[in-house]
Amino acid sequence: MELKRVVVTGLGAITPLGNSVEETWQNLVDGVSGAGPITHFDASQFKTQFACEVKNFKPADFGIDRKEARKMDLYCQYALAGAIQGIKDCGIDLESADKNRIGVVYGVGIGGMNTFEEEVGNWTKTGATLGPKFGPFFIPKMIADICAGQISIMYGFHGPNFITSSACASSSNALAEAFNLIRLGKADMIVSGGAEAAIVPSGVGGFNAMHALSTRNDEPQKASRPFSASRDGFVMAEGSVCLVLEELEHAKARGAHIYAEMAGAGMSADAHHLTATHPEGLGAMLVMKNALEDAELNPEDIDYINVHGTSTHVGDISEAKAIKQLFGDHAYELNISSTKSMTGHLLGAAGAIEAMASVLAVKNDIVPPTINHDEEDRDEEIDYRMNFTFNKAQQRTVRAAMSNTFGFGGHNACVVFKKYSD
């Protein structure tokens, strides 16, 4: 069968760099860090006392009813606010739209961690004397799938509705699933993306116990430093990004604004380790190869790679190796950058925010930088002849961009966007 073409017609963002797409993108281009001291809880006893938090977020600012917001974990509030922006941006006439053909597919790595902590914490404090006492919304606030349900409920979308959960690859997998549903003719539009809000004591404490987080408490804004010799771990972040994917002819028929075309998606597994990437980047190379083949593009067609680039020792090396091995001499011609150096690591929502950055790079012909680079890792196998777009954005024609995400368990996902042409 002939596969349908899929385009991006709407964007929405609640991120550490701003509560809109415009503000987030401008800060990405300007090389602004979203890191700062943790305010969600007292982190003074933790090894890591900073993160990339969302700032000045109020559900009511996005039209979310106050009573309904109390039934949602923070991650779900972020998801709904981002989706509201994305659906408004895509310009769909909700009165005339066939809502049976509009779905919601989101990526969530953890879900309602804050809700779980609060409810179980209350139980441990009072359970021995008062008996079990849990809130009636404990389960629907906590479960990771509820954000997709809440979006569909708000808008009456009856199409495919679910979440994907593959750790830090979750929202890239969500985009891949949405993409495939549309090109197979199962839906006309899918509201996709990712959401996460895990900056809570158990989240920070758990990642600290794994020695995964940076402990640069004296310089939070300089802590996320992918591909620099002094990197010491990733910076936790939170937020939500929405991408509205739409079948091309459906978008054209209603005169929709098109940001870019989604050209392909790839998936693979490292099959190597619970948390570490394959040291030779085998899974990373395979997922990029699979995405290129799905998009029917050659390595030379890619001008920008938004890398996973978490600022961990092994991860950065293995991804750089994979790019060099797959792209060969073209690895020196394309731009590479890790926007995690500015946004931090949004965990299950990482793929969504980095896909948005890739779409906007294609749209605007600007590659956002990898900030905080001050020292090459001379003793390791990172080839600095590749252009990592260190410290300053670069203007160039971006015909096509790919975005990599790798999750604990060896889950790899890659999505590809290209300039739209009729």
Side-chain angles (χ1 to χ4, degrees):
M1 64 178 292
E2 184 178 350
L3 296 175
K4 298 179 182 294
R5 293 170 66 185
V6 181
V7 292
V8 181
T9 58
L11 298 172
I14 303 293
T15 80
L17 297 182
N19 295 335
S20 69
V21 173
E22 294 76 16
E23 187 179 4
T24 298
W25 175 245
Q26 190 60 58
N27 282 325
L28 283 173
V29 172
D30 291 344
V32 175
S33 169
I38 291 172
T39 64
H40 288 335
F41 65 94
D42 180 2
S44 59
Q45 300 301 311
F46 287 74
K47 293 178 182 177
T48 298
Q49 299 165 14
F50 62 94
C52 288
E53 295 179 333
V54 169
K55 288 90 173 168
N56 304 314
F57 176 76
K58 297 177 183 178
D61 291 345
F62 303 91
I64 302 173
D65 181 78
R66 185 176 176 181
K67 183 178 179 181
E68 293 302 313
R70 288 200 296 268
K71 302 175 186 177
M72 303 176 198
D73 186 87
L74 184 59
Y75 97 91
C76 189
Q77 294 177 15
Y78 288 161
L80 198 56
I84 288 168
Q85 291 180 38
I87 293 165
K88 181 180 179 180
D89 184 45
C90 83
I92 185 74
D93 182 352
L94 294 170
E95 294 298 321
S96 62
D98 182 356
K99 295 183 180 180
N100 292 336
R101 300 279 300 171
I102 303 177
V104 183
V105 181
Y106 260 59
V108 181
I110 298 174
M113 200 170 194
N114 186 61
T115 294
F116 191 88
E117 263 198 17
E118 287 181 350
E119 293 280 351
V120 174
N122 290 337
W123 156 246
T124 58
K125 291 176 184 176
T126 64
T129 55
L130 300 178
K133 188 176 181 182
F134 290 88
F137 295 104
F138 170 33
I139 299 301
K141 285 176 69 174
M142 176 198 67
I143 53 180
D145 69 292
I146 206 68
C147 69
Q150 288 281 18
I151 295 166
S152 70
I153 290 166
M154 171 172 273
Y155 289 98
F157 295 153
H158 294 283
N161 188 277
F162 59 94
I163 66 112
T164 59
S165 189
S166 49
C168 305
S170 295
S171 49
S172 292
N173 278 128
L175 290 166
E177 289 298 312
F179 172 63
N180 284 325
L181 285 167
I182 294 171
R183 66 177 178 169
L184 288 171
K186 305 297 184 182
D188 295 328
M189 297 178 65
I190 295 195
V191 181
S192 192
E196 204 79 273
I199 303 174
V200 297
S202 58
V204 176
F207 281 117
N208 267 158
M210 295 170 60
H211 304 287
L213 298 182
S214 171
T215 56
R216 194 182 287 264
N217 293 310
D218 55 336
E219 293 182 304
Q221 294 186 330
K222 296 182 179 180
S224 184
R225 42 185 50 234
F227 306 107
S228 283
S230 54
R231 63 191 184 278
D232 69 330
F234 72 82
V235 178
M236 279 189 74
E238 61 179 358
S240 177
V241 166
C242 169
L243 292 87
V244 178
L245 303 185
E246 187 169 353
E247 193 272 323
L248 174 59
E249 296 304 320
H250 186 271
K252 288 167 63 176
R254 66 182 189 85
H257 168 75
I258 295 174
Y259 284 95
E261 180 171 358
M262 186 165 178
M267 288 167 269
S268 75
D270 275 2
H272 169 69
H273 190 272
L274 280 177
T275 58
T277 55
H278 192 285
E280 298 303 316
L282 297 186
M285 184 182 68
L286 179 60
V287 77
M288 289 187 287
K289 180 175 181 289
N290 290 342
L292 283 173
E293 290 177 353
D294 191 49
E296 298 182 346
L297 294 175
N298 297 313
E300 294 76 17
D301 296 322
I302 300 297
D303 291 317
Y304 171 47
I305 304 176
N306 187 301
V307 291
H308 190 57
T310 56
S311 189
T312 57
H313 183 68
V314 174
D316 289 3
I317 294 170
S318 64
E319 190 170 12
K321 283 183 178 180
I323 293 169
K324 184 177 178 181
Q325 186 170 351
L326 178 63
F327 285 87
D329 289 342
H330 186 62
Y332 306 116
E333 303 299 325
L334 51 76
N335 275 71
I336 299 163
S337 76
S338 171
T339 47
K340 285 186 181 73
S341 60
M342 297 169 281
T343 67
H345 192 347
L346 273 72
L347 307 178
I353 190 170
E354 290 155 21
M356 182 186 78
S358 301
V359 166
L360 292 173
V362 168
K363 179 68 175 177
N364 299 312
D365 289 324
I366 301 174
V367 175
T370 305
I371 67 167
N372 295 326
H373 178 73
D374 58 9
E375 184 181 1
E376 293 184 357
D377 201 347
R378 292 293 187 184
D379 296 330
E380 299 294 350
E381 298 174 72
I382 297 176
D383 188 343
Y384 288 99
R385 292 177 297 169
M386 295 191 291
N387 184 357
F388 291 95
T389 322
F390 284 133
N391 299 322
K392 187 176 180 179
Q394 294 180 16
Q395 289 191 311
R396 66 165 294 167
T397 299
V398 182
R399 298 165 299 163
M402 64 167 38
S403 176
N404 293 336
T405 45
F406 314 138
F408 284 175
H411 312 300
N412 305 313
C414 176
V415 291
V416 179
F417 301 92
K418 66 182 183 180
K419 285 192 185 299
Y420 165 68
S421 62
D422 201 10

